Amino acid sequence: MPQEISPETVEALLPEVAELIVTALNLEVAAGEIEADAPLFGEGLGLDSIDVLEIALVISKRYGFQLRSDNQDNVRIFTSLRTLASHIASQRTK
Amino acid sequence: MSSVPLLGHTSLDDIFAWRPSGPLRVRDFLADVYALARQLPAGRHLLNVCLDRYHFTVGLAAGLISEKISLQPSSQSAETLRQIQTDCPDVFCLCDSEFDSLDLPRLDFPALTGADPASVTEIPAIPTERIAACLFTSGSTGRPMSHYKHWGRLVKNGRAGAERLGLLDQRHSVVGTVPAQHSYGFESTALIALHGNAPFWSGKPFYPQDIVAALEAVPAPRLLVTTPFHLAALLNAGLELPAVDLLLSATAPLSPELAEAAERRFAAPLFEIYGSTESGQIASRQTTDGPAWTLLADVRLAQENDLTTAFGGHVEGRVPLSDIIELIDPEHFLLHGRHADVVNIAGKRTSLAYLNHQIAAIPGVVDGAFFLPDEATPDGITRLCAFVVAPELNSRQVLSALRERVEPIFLPRPLVFVDVLPRNTTGKLPRNQLQALYAAKVSDARH
């Protein structure tokens, strides 16, 4: 069951999730350079929906849960590194 | 003037589509079509950006009976919308999401409370010569090029595809991971629901778990209409997979390995479709059966030098193809890759010439060139790389300028700054020179 996640828990997860994104997508930026609240799409990191599917796959393997989409939610989850980490923290099974 | 019915069904009580609320019969669909048609604005051009496959198809059909053309651009960028607005001043958008329609007139898909399935008595006939839809490709200049599709040919198209897959003899429920607007999704979900005995699931599942849920929501036998990329993700997700009886893939080449893995996992045949926005689908193959493609009913190819043209059957006119093709006999051929300049990523097409023109036009860029590496991983998405000489700019500035000019999928990853490009004495950039530069600057750095 999703539970309330403290901001500290999310903060602690940020570097790990940043590293996961950089590795999965073969990005040139260093994980440490991804700002927690910068947009992942468009101007920020410039991700697209293909990247989202790649990230979903590594998340399912690493954290033991499957992403599901209904559009509104998806946009929210992938807003920034912090929103993604927060979603992972609340859903992870491992 | 000859005409063809809007749907190929024999009974108004046949199932046309599946939604989360359950099945919809032909009469439910027609009642919705009439109700929506009554609410459409006056313009003849309907920009159909509905995400829901059922909404999209109701919009297409409501347009058809009202002599309106369903516009289906491959990109929905602001620039494309402006272009369409210039070309078709009476355009309005039919939307069912938060879609940003700028200042175009807009109709949000209404609740069709006035629809009365009981009052529907027959399937309407549509003149074969009526223009039903307009699909777009990025022209060599980057300006969207319109490709009009006549109703009669679209029906032939849907039937040819359905016939090849054996759907006319055995009804299948269709789950598609591709949008209904683009050529492949349009043919293999919307058209086969109208004329191929194949009711579709209204959603467009994205994540593997979504695809599983959608498949479980419709009755067997099932047809999954997807791409190599979605298929690879689905097989890799480690999920319990529901029974699928037929698999279809298009938009990018599929490796024999993935085809075999998919057929083994589902114990079902996998077919690939080959075609283009201009020609529509023209051939299919069962990938594990060998590399040769078989043309769909009545479609023919002609060759002059290394240019191949498709015509006949549902193809509108004579359409040049952007691939290098070897004819085996009048009905079979082999594909030998694309003409050097053509770039196709995730089903979107552009040319290196166009991309190079865009990067060179950025203020502060002295020289620039895009390069498409050889595929690193089959069935994955190969990203473009770009080399740029721009002493005064940083990568954020270049990418931000490019983002305004090209589709996000074509943005370079990586963008590599160099002091000079290896142009030869005539100013050309041979691919092998770029290949060497790529090896030195990119792939070596990653190992």
Side-chain angles (χ1 to χ4, degrees):
Chain A
M1 272 326 292
Q3 57 255 310
E4 272 312 302
I5 302 296
S6 72
E8 294 74 24
T9 309
V10 174
E11 192 68 38
L13 195 58
L14 290 175
E16 193 176 291
V17 177
E19 187 56 49
L20 193 102
I21 293 175
V22 168
T23 315
L25 305 180
N26 220 342
L27 296 179
E28 292 162 278
V29 295
E33 285 176 34
I34 302 180
E35 292 162 31
D37 298 300
L40 292 175
F41 282 83
E43 272 300 336
L45 210 51
L47 302 192
D48 53 40
S49 66
I50 285 172
D51 299 320
V52 170
L53 209 47
E54 300 272 16
I55 294 171
L57 196 60
V58 291
I59 285 178
S60 69
K61 298 218 183 307
R62 176 79 165 269
Y63 299 108
F65 73 94
Q66 296 285 343
L67 282 157
R68 290 291 308 266
S69 64
D70 59 47
N71 276 316
Q72 307 308 334
D73 225 27
N74 232 0
V75 170
R76 192 182 50 76
I77 292 166
F78 281 93
T79 302
S80 66
L81 180 60
R82 192 184 306 278
T83 56
L84 182 59
S86 153
H87 183 70
I88 292 171
S90 71
Q91 302 288 321
R92 65 189 297 179
T93 62
K94 62 183 192 192
Chain B
M1 190 187 279
S2 65
S3 64
V4 186
L6 176 63
L7 302 108
H9 303 69
T10 48
S11 160
L12 292 172
D13 293 313
D14 282 347
I15 291 178
F16 170 73
W18 293 88
R19 302 195 73 193
S21 55
L24 287 147
R25 299 159 304 169
V26 169
R27 65 170 66 250
D28 300 319
F29 171 68
L30 288 172
D32 284 346
V33 169
Y34 295 132
L36 180 65
R38 287 194 290 272
Q39 300 188 42
L40 292 179
R44 276 206 64 204
H45 295 91
L46 180 167
L47 181 67
N48 193 339
V49 290
C50 292
L51 298 177
D52 178 287
R53 216 172 286 284
Y54 181 72
H55 289 166
F56 167 86
T57 315
V58 170
L60 170 80
L64 257 175
I65 63 169
S66 327
E67 297 192 49
K68 295 182 195 297
I69 301 170
S70 168
L71 302 183
Q72 298 164 210
S74 64
S75 139
Q76 294 166 351
S77 66
E79 199 187 351
T80 303
L81 295 194
R82 288 277 169 252
Q83 200 82 69
I84 287 174
Q85 198 175 18
T86 307
D87 296 347
C88 319
D90 67 353
V91 68
F92 63 91
C93 290
L94 180 68
C95 311
D96 64 355
S97 68
E98 300 292 298
F99 178 75
D100 182 0
S101 49
L102 309 177
D103 55 359
L104 273 63
R106 166 184 186 123
L107 175 64
D108 282 291
F109 200 94
L112 300 168
T113 43
D116 179 14
S119 68
V120 174
T121 55
E122 60 176 5
I123 294 174
I126 311 290
T128 51
E129 288 310 303
R130 185 167 293 176
I131 295 174
C134 177
L135 277 65
F136 297 82
T137 49
S138 342
S140 52
T141 59
R143 190 190 154 84
M145 302 278 295
S146 42
H147 303 280
Y148 289 101
K149 308 286 178 182
H150 295 83
W151 173 242
R153 304 226 170 197
L154 286 180
V155 172
K156 262 191 194 164
N157 179 336
R159 287 190 63 89
E163 180 188 24
R164 175 57 51 84
L165 296 170
L167 304 179
L168 298 178
D169 309 320
Q170 164 81 66
R171 177 175 301 162
H172 280 64
S173 310
V174 178
V175 169
T177 63
V178 286
Q181 281 81 357
H182 301 181
S183 192
Y184 167 52
F186 184 48
E187 294 166 335
S188 300
T189 66
L191 295 182
I192 64 172
L194 290 167
H195 275 275
N197 193 30
F200 59 60
W201 170 248
S202 61
K204 179 166 71 84
F206 176 70
Y207 295 120
Q209 185 74 63
D210 297 333
I211 299 175
V212 167
L215 288 166
E216 284 169 344
V218 295
R222 305 180 182 110
L223 160 63
L224 177 61
V225 173
T226 188
T227 71
F229 184 64
H230 289 99
L231 190 60
L234 181 63
L235 295 185
N236 281 328
L239 294 167
E240 190 77 29
L241 299 173
V244 172
D245 304 84
L246 203 49
L247 297 150
L248 196 61
S249 173
T251 69
L254 180 86
S255 71
E257 294 73 26
L258 180 60
E260 262 167 52
E263 289 196 337
R264 216 175 26 246
R265 265 304 271 290
F266 286 106
L270 180 145
F271 289 88
E272 281 185 278
I273 294 284
Y274 170 75
S276 68
T277 302
E278 296 91 323
S279 63
Q281 54 180 347
I282 59 169
S284 71
R285 69 177 179 188
Q286 186 172 352
T287 321
T288 53
D289 233 13
W293 295 86
T294 307
L295 288 167
L296 294 175
D298 304 327
V299 178
R300 288 290 168 267
L301 299 180
Q303 284 190 308
E304 201 171 329
N305 303 326
D306 64 352
L307 184 68
T308 309
T309 309
F311 63 97
H314 59 265
V315 178
E316 305 255 356
R318 296 178 75 92
V319 178
L321 302 173
S322 60
D323 292 278
I324 298 162
I325 285 173
E326 178 190 340
L327 292 179
I328 301 172
D329 62 39
E331 285 173 28
H332 300 89
F333 64 89
L334 295 170
L335 274 183
H336 292 297
R338 304 187 165 273
H339 288 287
D341 190 50
V342 177
V343 174
N344 184 324
I345 300 180
K348 290 191 189 277
R349 204 173 71 196
T350 185
S351 72
L352 287 171
Y354 171 69
L355 293 172
N356 290 344
H357 177 75
Q358 293 304 323
I359 196 166
I362 296 170
V365 168
V366 179
D367 198 359
F370 275 79
F371 171 73
L372 185 62
D374 296 327
E375 276 183 38
T377 47
D379 309 313
I381 302 281
T382 305
R383 298 281 186 165
L384 285 154
C385 160
F387 300 104
V388 68
V389 181
E392 306 295 317
L393 301 176
N394 63 31
S395 87
R396 186 170 289 228
Q397 291 165 310
V398 175
L399 284 172
S400 157
L402 270 177
R403 192 168 286 125
E404 289 171 19
R405 297 159 177 270
V406 305
E407 291 254 357
I409 196 87
F410 301 131
L411 290 172
R413 267 189 216 174
L415 172 69
V416 182
F417 281 76
V418 290
D419 295 333
V420 63
L421 288 178
R423 292 190 181 275
N424 65 17
T425 46
T426 58
K428 289 207 165 36
L429 266 175
R431 190 173 189 278
N432 58 7
Q433 290 289 331
L434 286 175
Q435 179 77 52
L437 192 59
Y438 180 79
K441 297 270 183 187
V442 183
S443 52
D444 288 2
R446 286 182 176 169
H447 297 152

